[in-house]
Amino acid sequence: MESPVTIASGFRPLEITVDRDSPTPLYHQVAAAIKEQIHDGRLAAGERIQQERDLAKTLGVSLAPVRQAILALVAEGYLARSRGRGTFVCEQKVDEQLSSLSSFSDLLRETGRPWSLSVLGASVVEAEENVTDALGGLPRGMLHVRRLATLDGEPIALLNAYLDAGRFGALAGTDLSGSLYQRLSQDFGVEMVSARNLVGAAELTAPDSVVLGLPRRSMVLEVVAVTADQNGVPTEYSRVLYHPSRFRFQIDSHRRDDSVVRLIGPVED
């Protein structure tokens, strides 16, 4: 049978149910119920949740499955425990799978939360030599598209994309607040199909720190990627700076006899 739970006085009224006859473990039911309420906004970031013992007592279950559920949600980044203060809902981060190539707009749309991609600039510039070399020794004239990604009104990433101005310069005068990959496909017949990503840390410059709302010289996660089209031609050089408290990556690893693992570093100037 199911046992409804209403959060005690001092907490937002919520209902959680557990089914003792279900083959699904009790801790999983409790964790799934709390997670659902975080996703749909009934539990807001910064809100303190009911104490484990009180929740277990109200549910009529032992403390163990409730504690296991809370610990699992802490490990997943949904909750945070503070000694002497309780357990709180964390600000939810965006997950990105580096093994899956998709446009940033698609990634944001999949969260189901309010998002935007604001164009900070789109112009032809003289790119650094490392950018043109990465794209096969193209001329220095590159279209630089600079955009800011926000989620729930908060900045989460600063996106810089470089494309051959000779091929794609016309994009500078168009609306680039949606999927850049979709524009390349629709307007130029170019499909972006594979990318090599280099993940590291970067120190923010003054202009970038203002855009991301972080102190100057803050360390952020940086992903530099070279993306190739359907013909295997390197087409886009990108550099994305991620707000460290609002983003995390999921990397799926598989053990294979022919796999190659490389440790890159130290980086030489």
Side-chain angles (χ1 to χ4, degrees), residues 39-65:
H39 282 309
D40 66 21
R42 283 180 287 164
L43 275 173
E47 188 168 6
R48 183 163 59 94
I49 70 169
Q50 191 174 8
Q51 292 184 353
E52 296 170 8
R53 291 187 182 278
D54 290 342
L55 182 55
K57 183 177 180 180
T58 309
L59 279 168
V61 300
S62 67
L63 179 61

Side-chain angles (χ1 to χ4, degrees), residues 54-212:
D54 290 342
L55 182 55
K57 183 177 180 180
T58 309
L59 279 168
V61 300
S62 67
L63 179 61
V66 173
R67 178 161 293 171
Q68 188 175 359
I70 298 301
L71 290 176
L73 293 174
V74 169
E76 293 180 40
Y78 285 95
L79 300 175
R81 305 178 85 180
S82 176
R83 184 180 295 275
R85 297 181 61 227
T87 304
F88 296 82
V89 179
C90 294
E91 183 174 12
Q92 295 308 293
K93 299 182 179 183
V94 180
D95 291 346
E96 181 172 7
Q97 285 187 294
L98 287 184
S99 58
S100 175
L101 179 63
S102 61
S103 70
F104 213 91
S105 58
D106 289 340
L107 173 68
L108 296 175
R109 187 177 295 109
E110 288 173 1
T111 67
R113 294 147 64 188
W115 65 275
S116 70
L117 274 174
S118 304
V119 180
L120 305 180
S123 60
V124 177
V125 301
E126 184 175 348
E128 297 292 335
E129 187 174 352
N130 66 304
V131 175
T132 56
D133 285 349
L135 296 178
L138 290 172
R140 299 291 285 274
M142 304 289 292
L143 173 63
H144 177 203
V145 180
R146 180 175 164 88
R147 300 185 295 173
L148 175 67
T150 66
L151 195 66
D152 298 325
E154 298 291 335
I156 63 169
L158 181 59
L159 291 72
N160 294 276
Y162 295 86
L163 300 160
D164 180 7
R167 293 178 67 191
F168 308 111
L171 287 172
T174 63
D175 180 11
L176 298 174
S177 59
S179 170
L180 180 59
Y181 288 179
Q182 185 175 357
R183 293 299 307 275
L184 293 175
S185 176
Q186 292 179 348
D187 297 356
F188 302 93
V190 173
E191 302 291 340
M192 307 297 263
V193 299
S194 65
R196 171 166 291 180
N197 301 280
L198 184 61
V199 182
E203 185 179 276
L204 284 181
T205 63
D208 290 347
S209 65
V210 172
V211 173
L212 285 175

